[in-house]
Amino acid sequence: LAKTTQPISMDSYEGQEVNITCSHNNIATNDYITWYQQFPSQGPRFIIQGYKTKVTNEVASLFIPADRKSSTLSLPRVSLSDTAVYYCLVPYNQGGKLIFGQGTELSVKP
Amino acid sequence: GAGVSQTPSNKVTEKGKYVELRCDPISGHTALYWYRQSLGQGPEFLIYFQGTGAADDSGLPNDRFFAVRPEGSVSTLKIQRTERGDSAVYLCASSFGTGELFFGEGSRLTVL
């Protein structure tokens, strides 16, 4: 049964690169890793998903080492609007159940 | 609409009353999830539907909570004999089953 562990909070300044690492020791062989962003009073929003190595889209990159026991979300040159809670998500079991952890509260300062 | 729609957006009720929360998923999405989120916490899994059937309802806290999805599209979360501890934001998400969940804006339930 897979669980995730992330830092509770992180601080950064505008223009910096931010890396948030998530541990998922029991991830199953075929499972993807998905990251979400949540602003106050809104539902979580999909950022990026990956299986191995590196995935990049217009907002973020996702780095996954060969053992897949962790993943790192990289946000280049953050702005104040990136202040949010970030969750990594892996399937809890093979039945499709998806469980969110505590998330990482990112605070971007001017 | 293009996204997941949840109604009502806000619901205030009295302790002991019955409440229904509705979720209208993205058309064609076979998977539907309900989560509950309290202030400062991550979304707490309640139930997951694949089509019309509940594939996993292990997150429902007790038998006062029940959810249906009779035609494999719209889902209703039903809470009987509400308690103050049920106050939270109830989130619905739908998916093609790829792990990418599309969330609604949530229904904020306040039990007085």
Side-chain angles (χ1 to χ4, degrees):
Chain A
L1 303 177
K3 290 181 64 176
T4 60
T5 303
Q6 306 173 229
I8 295 295
S9 63
M10 294 182 70
D11 291 332
S12 182
Y13 291 93
E14 283 190 291
Q16 289 187 331
E17 178 184 81
V18 170
N19 296 307
I20 306 173
T21 296
C22 176
S23 297
H24 29 77
N25 292 321
N26 295 326
I27 188 171
T29 304
N30 297 326
D31 285 340
Y32 281 79
I33 301 148
T34 313
W35 284 79
Y36 291 83
Q37 175 191 56
Q38 187 177 27
F39 298 113
S41 301
Q42 294 185 21
R45 184 181 71 170
F46 171 88
I47 302 174
I48 196 167
Q49 183 180 70
Y51 179 75
K52 62 179 180 180
T53 62
K54 178 183 175 182
V55 178
T56 297
N57 62 22
E58 63 276 10
V59 297
S61 294
L62 180 59
F63 298 91
I64 304 168
D67 67 5
R68 301 194 344 112
K69 293 183 183 298
S70 66
S71 58
T72 298
L73 175 73
S74 182
L75 304 172
R77 299 180 300 283
V78 294
S79 64
L80 296 177
S81 63
D82 293 316
T83 294
V85 180
Y86 293 82
Y87 298 94
C88 72
L89 201 64
V90 299
Y92 178 74
N93 55 26
Q94 296 306 300
K97 182 175 179 177
L98 298 173
I99 291 182
F100 285 80
Q102 189 78 1
T104 298
E105 186 172 7
L106 174 65
S107 177
V108 180
K109 302 173 182 176
Chain B
V4 176
S5 176
Q6 291 189 246
T7 54
S9 56
N10 277 286
K11 176 71 176 179
V12 180
T13 191
E14 294 180 341
K15 180 174 179 286
K17 299 290 188 181
Y18 170 79
V19 165
E20 287 191 354
L21 307 175
R22 175 187 168 107
C23 174
D24 203 335
I26 293 173
S27 179
H29 279 192
T30 56
L32 186 145
Y33 293 79
W34 282 100
Y35 291 87
R36 176 170 72 174
Q37 188 170 29
S38 300
L39 193 62
Q41 303 295 315
E44 174 192 5
F45 172 83
L46 295 177
I47 187 169
Y48 154 57
F49 287 91
Q50 185 61 248
T52 60
D56 191 323
D57 64 357
S58 61
L60 295 177
N62 51 58
D63 61 6
R64 295 187 298 106
F65 288 75
F66 189 70
V68 295
R69 195 186 184 199
E71 299 178 354
S73 178
V74 171
S75 177
T76 304
L77 179 66
K78 308 179 180 191
I79 310 174
Q80 297 178 321
R81 304 183 303 281
T82 51
E83 299 177 356
R84 293 195 179 89
D86 299 334
S87 296
V89 176
Y90 289 80
L91 295 165
C92 175
S94 68
S95 170
F96 278 120
T98 60
E100 180 177 351
L101 300 177
F102 294 81
F103 281 85
E105 294 299 304
S107 293
R108 180 176 298 277
L109 175 65
T110 303
V111 182
L112 301 177

